[in-house]
Amino acid sequence: MSEETHDQWHRAVCKELEARVKARTFLVWVKVTPGEGGQGSATTPGEVDPTAWETVAESAQGWLEGLDQNAVDHQNPPKDELRLADVVIELTASPKNTKRQGSGLLIGNPYPGVVSFTESYSTGPAPAFDDEA
């Protein structure tokens, strides 16, 4: 599978989940692994039936609604695996802070290979460089 096809699948899955999943208490990271397009399988996201997208979104919604934010181990966040045609979709959920729950983006990595943050994660200025060490 080409990198371009992989990127198409990643962007399509993120777009569909962002549009269809209403639960907004977690930020979700997506990892998409396209199959080889066996007989009868969709080889591009455009070939996927809209009802299949809805089924995947409903599964993700149900999984997210079943998670307890207070019970999440931040070192081992909850994961789920969904399938669409012969594509494996791995989801990892991270609780949003209290002020951002119920709003904002669902997907934390809408583009493959790029991590996006919705808040500042700066730790402050770098310590002074000691060139005598």
Side-chain angles (χ1 to χ4, degrees), residues 92-116:
T92 304
S94 177
K96 289 184 176 182
N97 69 31
T98 308
K99 291 186 285 184
R100 301 195 49 89
Q101 289 179 8
S103 65
L105 298 174
L106 171 70
I107 305 297
N109 63 332
Y111 302 101
V114 176
V115 176
S116 66

Side-chain angles (χ1 to χ4, degrees), residues 64-122:
L64 289 168
E65 287 175 346
L67 296 176
D68 179 2
Q69 285 195 298
N70 299 320
V72 170
D73 176 1
H74 295 281
Q75 299 303 315
N76 188 20
K79 297 177 187 267
D80 193 24
E81 184 176 289
L82 307 171
R83 292 191 178 271
L84 176 68
D86 64 343
V87 176
V88 176
I89 303 165
E90 296 176 50
L91 305 177
T92 304
S94 177
K96 289 184 176 182
N97 69 31
T98 308
K99 291 186 285 184
R100 301 195 49 89
Q101 289 179 8
S103 65
L105 298 174
L106 171 70
I107 305 297
N109 63 332
Y111 302 101
V114 176
V115 176
S116 66
F117 297 100
T118 58
E119 296 180 28
S120 172
Y121 285 86
S122 173

Side-chain angles (χ1 to χ4, degrees), residues 6-132:
H6 179 268
D7 290 354
Q8 285 177 343
W9 275 107
H10 183 93
R11 287 190 307 271
V13 167
C14 291
K15 176 184 164 207
E16 293 293 336
L17 291 177
E18 190 71 58
R20 297 172 187 262
V21 175
K22 302 304 177 213
R24 300 291 174 168
T25 55
F26 287 86
L27 198 56
V28 176
W29 276 262
V30 176
K31 179 181 176 191
V32 177
T33 307
E36 294 303 317
Q39 194 169 18
S41 294
T43 56
T44 66
E47 296 174 1
V48 176
D49 185 274
T51 58
W53 285 117
E54 191 60 37
T55 299
V56 166
E58 287 172 1
S59 294
Q61 176 86 22
W63 173 65
L64 289 168
E65 287 175 346
L67 296 176
D68 179 2
Q69 285 195 298
N70 299 320
V72 170
D73 176 1
H74 295 281
Q75 299 303 315
N76 188 20
K79 297 177 187 267
D80 193 24
E81 184 176 289
L82 307 171
R83 292 191 178 271
L84 176 68
D86 64 343
V87 176
V88 176
I89 303 165
E90 296 176 50
L91 305 177
T92 304
S94 177
K96 289 184 176 182
N97 69 31
T98 308
K99 291 186 285 184
R100 301 195 49 89
Q101 289 179 8
S103 65
L105 298 174
L106 171 70
I107 305 297
N109 63 332
Y111 302 101
V114 176
V115 176
S116 66
F117 297 100
T118 58
E119 296 180 28
S120 172
Y121 285 86
S122 173
T123 59
F129 180 71
D130 182 7
D131 61 353
E132 305 221 0

